[in-house]
Amino acid sequence: MEPVNGGSVQIQNGNESRKLPNFSQSVNMKYVKLGYHYLITNLFKLCLVPLMAVLITEISRLTPDDFHQIWLHLQYNLVAFILLSALAVFGTTVFVMTRPRSVYLVDYSCYLPQASLQVPYKKFMDHSALIEDFNESSLEFQRKILERSGLGEETYLPEGLHCVPPRTTMAAAREEAEQVMFGCLDKLFENTKVNPRDIGVLVVNCSLFNPTPSLSAMIVNKYKLRGNVKSFNLGGMGCSAGVISIDLAKDMLQVHRNTYAVVVSTENITQNWYFGNKKAMLIPNCLFRVGGTALLLSNKGSDRRRSKYKMVHTVRTHKGADEKAFNCVYQEQDDNSKTGVSLSKDLMAIAGEALKANITTLGPLVLPISEQILFFVTLVWKKVFNAKLKPYIPDFKLAFDHFCIHAGGRAVIDELEKNLQLSQTNVEASRMTLHRFGNTSSSSIWYELAYIEAKGRMKKGNRVWQIAFGSGFKCNSAVWVALHNVKPSVSSPWEHCIDRYPVKLDF
């Protein structure tokens, strides 16, 4: 037996040779780190205990005469006492009036299309073969991408794309938008018992379909929202636009008191299917599927008891100043004037840079002080002594209990699992959402949260990190804390299939 790299040992038995980790070393280091984390996190409390003990001891030694002398001292300095009291009251009032209002997620609803819109692999390929625009090379490319995508046999495409030839008219696209948005909102209003006329803020995001009147106007018209509703329609912002919409709604709720905000996140596929043979533009055909979600946010203190979550942070990162980042997800026409969205080969590297910038901002807000100290010491040591150290990757599992990583594709989930050192359980919701619903764009992080709830894993005080990537190029994060043990909403998209998950994925 002889040591090998990484602190492992090599066992040789005849012709057999294999490596085993040095378990004693790894276990010892695990407990050293846990002990360090506990010590630093509770350092203030540990220092406070002896201080309180000394204070209590000193107070216990005071006699009634001592307390009488303190009272007389206050009487002789009555003016100063009143001024200090008034200053304390004024400071408390200013603090209460200027602090950010809490924003609560009362409930949300994810759209579940009808079963007739499901598109198994065979149906997808059969329909693609019937479309004369695709040559044999393109069909084979789509087949390989589909097999490696991580999508299952029950994802959905809009009704217009089930037709042969596909029906990609404006009317068909409007039908898709109405089915998704109204389907989500009907369930949301039914579950929350909120009157649509009580909505003060409406934010809708859809990247590739922006008709006139807008999608937000369609909602105002359908539900007869009041005339002074603050409505916004965000377009062209990619798969991370859901978090952007939440951030905008949060800002609006800081300004407008005692009201509700509705956020609708979706994507429209009907008019954005690519009927050409450029491989970089065929990938979205294989990944994107029908989906959408509607959220009800509130800044009313009275809604805290019935709300599922409280918003903690939103962090937005934009890398659009860099040309490669700006062009890596790009809608364009190919040489035959066929419109589609082209995905660059540099996409994952650019996503990694955007993620790095995002967590650099998010880390100090959420990570325990123990992780921040380790990161800072490693960084200083590397800079000052020019040491060849690997950058210390903070353990975000110490900051979050659940992770909702945008189900943009298998590669996206794989890279984040690797770079953030997450476990299979941490990324289970993302992988299963990709398998069951495909890439539903900005709404995918909500199908993932619904999965965690359906599994009964969301407990009071749990913190959730939603992270999404989008064209531009953007990386955006939202952090929530559960206000109680959260049960799945009525008509959850997982309620009829959760017992079948997780499924084993063979890649």
Side-chain angles (χ1 to χ4, degrees), residues 119-404:
V119 53
Y121 288 179
K122 187 177 186 304
K123 185 175 183 179
F124 180 95
M125 292 308 305
D126 287 346
H127 275 225
S128 297
L130 292 173
I131 299 173
E132 296 179 357
D133 300 87
F134 299 128
N135 59 33
E136 288 300 322
S137 176
S138 295
L139 290 171
E140 180 63 15
F141 178 77
Q142 290 183 82
R143 185 188 64 78
K144 289 180 178 179
I145 292 294
L146 200 61
E147 290 175 349
R148 302 169 185 172
S149 65
L151 274 67
E153 298 278 355
E154 297 178 302
T155 60
Y156 305 89
L157 284 176
E159 187 173 347
L161 293 182
H162 284 265
C163 301
V164 179
R167 187 167 61 94
T168 59
T169 62
M170 173 64 77
R174 282 185 178 274
E175 287 173 11
E176 179 191 348
E178 290 174 353
Q179 288 172 3
V180 175
M181 296 191 305
F182 300 163
C184 294
L185 288 166
D186 286 346
K187 290 180 185 177
L188 182 69
F189 291 138
E190 181 182 354
N191 292 346
T192 59
K193 310 302 181 189
V194 168
N195 187 332
R197 292 192 62 83
D198 292 334
I199 304 303
V201 179
L202 172 65
V203 185
V204 181
N205 68 268
C206 181
S207 190
L208 294 174
F209 182 60
N210 294 284
T212 300
S214 66
L215 299 179
S216 59
M218 291 165 61
I219 294 173
V220 171
N221 177 260
K222 166 72 174 179
Y223 296 98
K224 309 306 177 189
L225 302 188
R226 64 196 195 202
N228 64 346
V229 65
K230 304 296 184 292
S231 65
F232 302 87
N233 201 101
L234 307 183
M237 305 194 79
C239 299
S240 68
V243 178
I244 296 173
S245 296
I246 293 167
D247 187 54
L248 174 57
K250 178 193 72 174
D251 290 344
M252 295 300 294
L253 289 175
Q254 298 304 313
V255 178
H256 301 279
R257 295 173 176 270
N258 201 37
T259 191
Y260 291 110
V262 164
V263 174
V264 179
S265 296
T266 186
E267 190 52 88
N268 194 284
I269 299 175
T270 299
Q271 286 195 320
N272 294 288
W273 202 255
Y274 175 59
F275 296 99
N277 294 293
K278 186 176 179 180
K279 290 181 171 56
M281 299 170 74
L282 282 167
I283 297 173
N285 286 10
C286 303
L287 298 178
F288 282 89
R289 296 294 184 265
V290 171
T293 188
L295 330 173
L296 181 67
L297 302 174
S298 173
N299 59 9
K300 301 179 181 181
S302 58
D303 280 324
R304 178 185 173 92
R305 289 176 63 88
R306 69 170 182 146
S307 297
K308 287 187 170 185
Y309 304 94
K310 177 183 176 182
M311 185 184 295
V312 183
H313 301 291
T314 53
V315 175
R316 294 166 55 180
T317 303
H318 205 309
K319 304 293 287 186
D322 179 79
E323 289 300 320
K324 282 189 176 181
F326 178 76
N327 291 301
C328 72
V329 181
Y330 202 86
Q331 187 180 26
E332 60 184 357
Q333 290 184 326
D334 64 14
D335 295 337
N336 296 313
S337 299
K338 302 287 187 180
T339 302
V341 176
S342 178
L343 303 183
S344 167
K345 293 180 180 179
D346 299 323
L347 178 59
M348 292 312 303
I350 291 166
E353 289 299 315
L355 173 65
K356 187 189 302 181
N358 190 267
I359 64 177
T360 300
T361 304
L362 181 67
L365 299 175
V366 298
L367 286 169
I369 190 66
S370 58
E371 287 297 291
Q372 296 189 46
I373 291 174
L374 278 176
F375 178 79
F376 178 74
V377 169
T378 305
L379 183 64
V380 171
W381 188 271
K382 186 176 181 180
K383 293 290 184 181
V384 174
F385 298 100
N386 199 25
K388 293 183 179 180
L389 295 174
K390 289 184 178 180
Y392 179 73
I393 301 175
D395 188 355
F396 280 91
K397 297 188 293 295
L398 296 173
F400 302 111
D401 302 283
H402 306 285
F403 298 80
C404 296

Side-chain angles (χ1 to χ4, degrees), residues 382-430:
K382 186 176 181 180
K383 293 290 184 181
V384 174
F385 298 100
N386 199 25
K388 293 183 179 180
L389 295 174
K390 289 184 178 180
Y392 179 73
I393 301 175
D395 188 355
F396 280 91
K397 297 188 293 295
L398 296 173
F400 302 111
D401 302 283
H402 306 285
F403 298 80
C404 296
I405 300 165
H406 167 52
R410 199 188 90 199
V412 174
I413 301 171
D414 287 346
E415 283 301 309
L416 264 72
E417 178 185 5
K418 176 183 175 182
N419 291 332
L420 295 178
Q421 300 176 353
L422 303 179
S423 67
Q424 286 289 325
T425 302
N426 294 144
V427 298
E428 180 183 313
S430 301

Side-chain angles (χ1 to χ4, degrees), residues 477-496:
S477 295
V479 179
W480 306 86
V481 61
L483 297 175
H484 48 79
N485 295 345
V486 180
K487 296 180 180 179
S489 302
V490 178
S491 301
S492 163
W494 295 95
E495 76 178 356
H496 300 300

